[in-house]
Amino acid sequence: MLQTLRQSFADFASRRASASGAPRAAERWHRLACAVAPTFVPSYGLLVERLLVRDDRWAARALAQRAAERFPDNPDAWMLLGQAWLGVYRHQEALASFEQALVLEERPDAALAAGAIYRRSGQFPEAAARFARAYAAGGGPEALLQNAEALFEAGDVKAAEQALALWAGQVPDGETQATALRAKLGASRRAG
């Protein structure tokens, strides 16, 4: 009963925040919703977003950290923490958060985010594995394209060609685009 009441009040606070025209008032309503909610609520993400817009990145990270600690079994909380860590340019911590979200649930957004971090750090086989996982989780053609590029960068040209051929069959004018991508990837490999 108490949990239902708390959830109802959190929902009310979230609605008030959305209806508020004043940013500070909306922030207070979101904070209230976060404080009383017995489950992870959208107010966490909205409040983190407001803090990032205000360029209060460390406060956004702290709020996301509290959400992940309070709701450790919720992949949305870990995704929020990963995004907040990226906001303060801490990629390894962000990667750990995205990987934790993947432990809890197969999510294309978590796999894509983790793959992007691996790719930026030059860990191309790991990046390709995450992009393949993103595709398997429903990430669509974008995940396949990222997978093909990471495989190519990892030196697995045969697997990259297979992923690129699969991608080409899923996008409009795919063969023409695939030819251009092959040329671009080949040129970057020769230059690198």
Side-chain angles (χ1 to χ4, degrees), residues 8-62:
S8 295
F9 189 69
D11 293 342
F12 169 75
S14 292
R15 285 192 305 275
R16 290 288 300 168
S18 297
S20 177
R24 295 285 183 186
E27 223 173 89
R28 284 192 297 275
W29 281 111
H30 282 307
R31 285 187 190 281
L32 182 60
C34 293
V36 300
T39 60
F40 185 81
V41 292
S43 281
Y44 279 103
L46 295 168
L47 185 54
V48 164
E49 186 178 304
R50 284 188 177 277
L51 291 169
L52 290 173
V53 165
R54 244 186 29 217
D55 208 26
D56 198 351
R57 297 171 185 276
W58 285 99
R61 201 269 331 148

Side-chain angles (χ1 to χ4, degrees), residues 39-129:
T39 60
F40 185 81
V41 292
S43 281
Y44 279 103
L46 295 168
L47 185 54
V48 164
E49 186 178 304
R50 284 188 177 277
L51 291 169
L52 290 173
V53 165
R54 244 186 29 217
D55 208 26
D56 198 351
R57 297 171 185 276
W58 285 99
R61 201 269 331 148
L63 177 66
Q65 181 75 46
R66 282 194 303 274
E69 289 169 357
R70 188 169 169 201
F71 307 108
D73 295 331
N74 188 306
D76 291 329
W78 288 101
M79 285 299 298
L80 185 64
L81 181 57
Q83 293 159 357
W85 275 120
L86 286 177
V88 294
Y89 309 106
R90 303 287 294 267
H91 294 177
Q92 289 308 308
E93 290 85 348
L95 178 60
S97 298
F98 294 135
E99 291 288 357
Q100 181 60 34
L102 281 170
V103 166
L104 297 171
E105 179 185 337
E106 283 299 309
R107 297 174 59 127
D109 56 347
L112 284 169
I117 294 171
Y118 279 124
R119 191 172 180 189
R120 277 194 301 268
S121 65
Q123 297 174 304
F124 302 119
E126 292 83 0

